[in-house]
Amino acid sequence: MLKKLARIIVKYRVAFSLIALFLLILSLYGVQLLEFESDLTKQLPQDLPAVRDYLTLQNEFQSGDSALIIVKVASIEEGGVYDIRDPEVIKSIYELEERLREHEYVTNTMSIADIFIQILGRLPENEEEVKFVLNTLPPEALQGLISSDYRTTMVIATLTAGSGSQAVQRIYEDIERDIKEVRFPKNVEVIQTGTIGITYRILTMLQGDLNRTMTIALIFVAFLLIYFYKSVFRAMLPLIPLVFGVIMTLGFMGLLGIPIDMVTTVVGAMIVGMGIDYGVHVTNRYFEERKKGRSIEEAAEEAVAETGKALLGAALTTIAGFSALSLSLLPSLRRLSFALIMGLSLAAINAVVITPSLIMLYEDIMKKIKGKHEVPEIRAHSGFIAKSFNTLGMIIKGHPKTTLLAVSLMTLVFLYGLTQVTTEVRLEKMIPEGIPEIEAMKDVRYEFGGQDEVDFIVKAEDVRNPAVVRAIYRFEQEILADSHYNNVFETNSIADVVVRKYGYIPEDKEKIKEAIKEGGAPVNDDYSMTLIQLKGNFGGANPENFRAIMHYFEEQAKSADFPPGVEIRPAGDLYLNYVLDGLTSQELSKISTYGSVLVVLVVVLLFRRPLVSIAMVLPMFLGALWTVGYMGLAGIPFTQTLAGVISMIVGLGVDYGMHLTHRFLEELREGNPYPIISALEGVGPGILVGALTTAGGFLALLSGELTAIHDFGKTLAVGIFASMFAAFTVTPALLQIFYGKKIRGEEK
């Protein structure tokens, strides 16, 4: 069947090329429609209780994001201010607040300037007035606004609920413009951080990382191919179809409305890394057949037919591994699954259809230039590389059991690494150290105790019921009593509003209604819901403490002493991060198991030989085990980006064992007395080139700015090299053990 398909592809290569060109033009239009997404709720199932509570928070209480603007004396140059209490600084802060309030999405602002307006009715005119007002206030009133050394303060802007990359970009840029238009005194530095600032930085990094990593991956792959093929033009043969595949993938993502988020931003570099493998194997087999003296048509047909079998199996197993991601509860992983399957399918089709057409076109052009066809000499089949694979084949042929013993001893080291693996899903931890928004957030946590917020949604028939208000007050006091453990430094609720007005919580419901009406307490329109707002340092804690604090909040909500029929549940951005963390751990196990099972099923169905299947799939399991062990040893945590990495490595790792096994069986059928050596000599260079280019594509992710993208690139590159090493050692050793007697019998 593949022989017939190969003849059709060779015969109608021009028509197929024109179809590919049309799809390329359509894809270029789709690329312009690509959108970037950073909304955490879009990465979680919409029917999840935590997501529903988060949406309730936004819809019922108009709870949106917050912009924290740090104002600090960053230097002590002469002619500038040295203290944040300088009247000129306070005047500039108030001017900034006025500008912020002009935006329709800003619901409230708060700063030290407001204190002077409330007490003096105006801004202070000199430092004496500033110090007089601040000295009249209790220390706790200033703790959240002015640092102990009086060099840092902040402006807090509360925003209406909004989502989408365009809204975040607009708000961030508006606030940045306001900051620049306000003339702060010399020595004063103003930095925007908080939810908006960090989200905006992630969005800009996502856009930059997608373009940068994809470009570097293509350049790296191109140089590697030039080295192996000894020619720029021959290197372009597998590269051009790959570029087609990448553009088509991104184009169809735009046309189908699949956004680029923290997970799918790696698609471009991944398709470059993985897709080149297909084109390399077709090109290598073609040049190998030409070296044997076949015509260009015969060589193309043989390359498509014989390599096509292994490519079909490799593509199916890789797709099987990636399809496990579609079974995830996380929408971002499902989107990644679809994008990768689509991209790899396009890359494989382009490799089988476009690559032979380009090779034959190249040969025809060279014939017109030189007057005859010349058999090209490539580095992959000669010199040091060829000798290395011949030597490796002889060693494994003579000592298969010793080879497996050495691999087993190496595996013990990585088994220890498995015990050290952790997870991390907080968005701010995806940004590298040194970024202004993150450094400013550190100032907030160090100087002001933190401005992270966790809310508890309280649902009742009427939250103004005295029994409910008293229960809320007791709950707050219990939380504050554990502040040394939970990092909470401030709470706010309707109970606080009532206590501030009366000094106690009255039994008279009408008095409570009056206090709530006057105090602006956080309640919804029909008084069926209210909030208990906690502020503190939650997001800055290490992963273990963060989980412990969020778990503490969950347990407190479950054991809270509230009247019958009253519900209380944690909510908010940070709690969503915690929920995502738990889901990531669950999904990791599920996806890895399903991916492995699907790959094994595909291998068994394709080859229907138990021993052959074992030789193919064992390297992929070892590659995945070594990779996760490396993550533990290197301190790389599992993130939402890396949640499907095992499934990916399983899908990719089986390809190398499949190519070797397929060639071994082909040599065995033809009566070759040294099938192990011939298989390693024949497809070993192609696997090496494919692994180097694939790993190079992944290592290009190190050029990205986001920490999660760095970790993803390093981990997958290690996974590729681990799978290749396992395939070069374990697969041939097992095949030699399984088929040794038959081979020796044929030798006699």
Side-chain angles (χ1 to χ4, degrees):
M1 179 180 174
L2 281 174
K3 285 280 187 183
K4 292 180 181 179
L5 179 62
R7 293 191 190 100
I8 293 172
I9 291 172
V10 172
K11 185 177 180 180
Y12 297 104
R13 54 186 180 271
V14 176
F16 283 120
S17 299
L18 289 174
I19 293 172
L21 196 60
F22 168 75
L23 291 175
L24 180 67
I25 294 170
L26 180 64
S27 300
L28 287 170
Y29 167 72
V31 169
Q32 301 174 48
L33 303 178
L34 271 177
E35 293 185 357
F36 293 83
E37 181 60 71
S38 64
D39 188 350
L40 186 61
T41 60
K42 301 294 177 62
Q43 298 181 40
L44 288 164
Q46 296 302 295
D47 59 349
L48 206 65
V51 174
R52 290 201 301 266
D53 289 339
Y54 179 82
L55 295 175
T56 297
L57 205 62
Q58 290 185 321
N59 298 330
E60 295 289 341
F61 300 96
Q62 288 73 51
S63 174
D65 295 316
S66 62
L68 300 180
I69 302 166
I70 301 300
V71 181
K72 64 188 297 186
V73 178
S75 63
I76 52 172
E77 294 179 22
E78 192 174 342
V81 299
Y82 308 103
D83 192 315
I84 211 69
R85 294 171 295 182
D86 190 291
E88 290 300 314
V89 176
I90 296 169
K91 179 181 177 182
S92 297
I93 288 173
Y94 188 71
E95 183 184 343
L96 176 60
E97 278 194 276
E98 287 187 315
R99 289 178 181 273
L100 291 173
R101 292 191 195 105
E102 291 177 2
H103 301 300
E104 72 280 3
Y105 47 77
V106 175
T107 58
N108 188 33
T109 63
M110 182 174 66
S111 76
I112 56 171
D114 300 326
I115 296 174
F116 297 101
I117 296 296
Q118 291 168 8
I119 296 176
L120 298 177
R122 58 176 171 79
L123 295 174
E125 296 177 356
N126 51 60
E127 290 188 20
E128 286 70 24
E129 285 188 345
V130 174
K131 292 177 181 179
F132 170 76
V133 170
L134 295 182
N135 288 335
T136 62
L137 298 173
E140 59 270 16
L142 298 177
Q143 183 182 2
L145 285 176
I146 302 178
S147 63
S148 57
D149 61 1
Y150 298 105
R151 295 189 62 179
T152 307
T153 186
M154 64 180 171
V155 180
I156 304 171
T158 306
L159 313 173
T160 55
S163 63
S165 59
Q166 292 181 346
V168 170
Q169 183 173 349
R170 176 195 167 202
I171 293 170
Y172 181 89
E173 291 177 351
D174 283 351
I175 294 175
E176 279 296 297
R177 187 165 52 251
D178 291 339
I179 291 171
K180 289 177 181 177
E181 289 176 356
V182 174
R183 298 186 62 182
F184 279 88
K186 186 178 178 181
N187 294 346
V188 174
E189 181 182 23
V190 184
I191 304 169
Q192 184 182 172
T193 185
T195 308
I196 289 293
I198 292 173
T199 303
Y200 175 82
R201 182 60 59 187
I202 288 175
L203 279 171
T204 55
M205 286 182 174
L206 282 175
Q207 296 176 32
D209 286 357
L210 175 66
N211 298 327
R212 187 185 307 105
T213 57
M214 196 166 57
T215 301
I216 291 175
L218 284 169
I219 292 172
F220 179 87
V221 167
F223 275 108
L224 206 57
L225 292 176
I226 290 169
Y227 171 78
F228 278 105
Y229 291 140
K230 297 182 177 181
S231 165
V232 173
F233 294 107
R234 284 199 291 271
M236 299 298 288
L237 299 176
L239 195 60
I240 291 175
L242 173 65
V243 173
F244 279 27
V246 172
I247 294 174
M248 287 179 186
T249 302
L250 295 176
F252 286 133
M253 285 177 68
L255 292 170
L256 296 172
I258 300 173
I260 297 292
D261 56 25
M262 187 67 74
V263 177
T264 55
T265 191
V266 301
V267 164
M270 284 191 70
I271 299 300
V272 171
M274 294 181 293
I276 191 63
D277 194 51
Y278 301 135
V280 164
H281 281 292
V282 172
T283 305
N284 277 9
R285 186 58 184 261
Y286 174 87
F287 288 140
E288 187 181 345
E289 296 301 325
R290 289 285 285 130
K291 193 174 181 180
K292 293 177 182 178
R294 293 179 184 259
S295 66
I296 59 173
E297 286 81 8
E298 290 173 336
E301 288 178 11
E302 188 70 15
V304 173
E306 290 303 323
T307 309
K309 294 176 184 177
L311 281 182
L312 176 64
L316 287 175
T317 52
T318 304
I319 288 171
F322 288 166
S323 65
L325 298 174
S326 65
L327 303 175
S328 172
L329 291 172
L330 303 176
S332 55
L333 287 182
R334 292 201 297 269
R335 291 194 292 265
L336 179 64
S337 172
F338 182 80
L340 286 176
I341 290 172
M342 177 176 63
L344 284 178
S345 300
L346 289 168
I349 292 169
N350 280 320
V352 173
V353 175
I354 305 300
T355 303
S357 305
L358 288 173
I359 295 175
M360 287 184 280
L361 178 63
Y362 164 78
E363 292 249 48
D364 289 339
I365 292 172
M366 295 306 295
K367 180 183 178 182
K368 289 181 180 179
I369 294 173
K370 297 185 177 181
K372 62 176 182 177
H373 284 301
E374 288 186 354
V375 177
E377 181 73 22
I378 64 173
R379 192 170 271 110
H381 292 145
S382 62
F384 173 76
I385 293 174
K387 290 179 183 177
S388 298
F389 280 106
N390 179 271
T391 303
L392 178 63
M394 292 177 67
I395 292 172
I396 293 175
K397 179 180 181 296
H399 309 281
K401 292 182 180 178
T402 304
T403 302
L404 293 178
L405 178 62
V407 170
S408 300
L409 292 175
M410 188 178 73
T411 303
L412 294 176
V413 177
F414 292 104
L415 283 173
Y416 169 73
L418 285 175
T419 64
Q420 307 300 307
V421 177
T422 59
T423 58
E424 177 60 82
V425 298
R426 287 171 288 177
L427 286 181
E428 68 178 81
K429 299 301 179 182
M430 309 299 170
I431 301 179
E433 297 290 328
I435 299 298
E437 288 80 3
I438 294 300
E439 294 303 310
M441 203 65 195
K442 287 181 180 178
D443 286 341
V444 171
R445 292 188 172 119
Y446 178 76
E447 299 287 357
F448 308 112
Q451 284 291 324
D452 299 323
E453 185 171 311
V454 170
D455 298 311
F456 284 89
I457 297 177
V458 180
K459 295 183 179 180
E461 185 175 338
D462 189 336
V463 295
R464 297 169 296 180
N465 185 318
V468 174
V469 177
R470 278 195 298 273
I472 289 173
Y473 187 75
R474 284 196 304 270
F475 183 81
E476 284 184 274
Q477 298 310 305
E478 289 172 5
I479 294 287
L480 288 170
D482 290 334
S483 60
H484 64 284
Y485 172 77
N486 57 36
N487 291 355
V488 175
F489 76 84
E490 180 185 322
T491 65
N492 181 47
S493 72
I494 56 174
D496 297 315
V497 172
V498 173
V499 170
R500 278 197 296 269
K501 182 173 177 62
Y502 300 113
Y504 67 99
I505 298 174
E507 287 290 344
D508 188 344
K509 188 175 179 181
E510 294 303 317
K511 284 188 174 183
I512 292 177
K513 289 181 181 180
E514 183 182 344
I516 291 174
K517 188 175 180 180
E518 293 178 2
V523 292
N524 67 338
D525 293 338
D526 63 0
Y527 300 101
S528 63
M529 282 187 279
T530 187
L531 297 180
I532 302 173
Q533 299 166 319
L534 312 181
K535 280 191 178 180
N537 179 12
F538 315 131
N542 64 47
E544 290 75 18
N545 288 345
F546 171 72
R547 293 187 199 100
I549 291 171
M550 292 299 124
H551 180 69
Y552 165 86
F553 290 148
E554 281 187 329
E555 292 303 309
Q556 287 296 106
K558 290 176 184 176
S559 61
D561 181 19
F562 275 80
V566 178
E567 296 179 33
I568 177 171
R569 289 198 300 270
D573 286 304
L574 280 174
Y575 183 67
L576 272 187
N577 276 276
Y578 168 71
V579 172
L580 179 57
D581 182 85
L583 276 178
T584 299
S585 299
Q586 296 174 23
E587 295 298 283
L588 179 63
S589 175
K590 183 177 77 173
I591 293 169
S592 303
T593 302
Y594 288 159
S596 301
V597 170
L598 288 171
V599 169
V600 171
L601 282 175
V602 170
V603 171
V604 171
L605 289 173
L606 283 176
F607 291 89
R608 299 178 185 177
R609 298 185 189 180
L611 295 180
V612 169
S613 299
I614 291 172
M616 286 186 194
V617 301
L618 190 56
M620 82 177 186
F621 284 119
L622 284 174
L625 186 151
W626 294 345
T627 303
V628 179
Y630 159 77
M631 290 177 65
L633 294 172
I636 297 175
F638 274 105
T639 63
Q640 56 264 51
T641 307
L642 281 166
V645 72
I646 296 178
S647 180
M648 293 178 192
I649 291 170
V650 164
L652 290 168
V654 74
D655 293 1
Y656 302 138
M658 184 171 290
H659 282 295
L660 272 168
T661 306
H662 182 269
R663 186 59 177 267
F664 171 84
L665 295 175
E666 185 183 335
E667 297 294 336
L668 194 66
R669 283 196 305 270
E670 294 175 359
N672 187 335
Y674 308 106
I676 289 293
I677 298 174
S678 296
L680 279 167
E681 287 180 326
V683 299
I687 291 174
L688 177 64
V689 176
L692 287 173
T693 50
T694 301
F698 295 150
L699 287 175
L701 295 172
L702 293 177
S703 65
E705 294 182 278
L706 290 165
T707 304
I709 305 303
H710 287 191
D711 291 343
F712 189 82
K714 285 187 289 188
T715 302
L716 277 179
V718 168
I720 291 301
F721 285 129
S723 299
M724 179 188 71
F725 179 77
F728 282 159
T729 54
V730 176
T731 297
L734 288 175
L735 290 172
Q736 182 65 32
I737 293 171
F738 294 156
Y739 290 91
K741 291 182 179 179
K742 183 176 180 181
I743 295 169
R744 286 193 292 272
E746 290 181 357
E747 287 177 353
K748 295 175 183 177

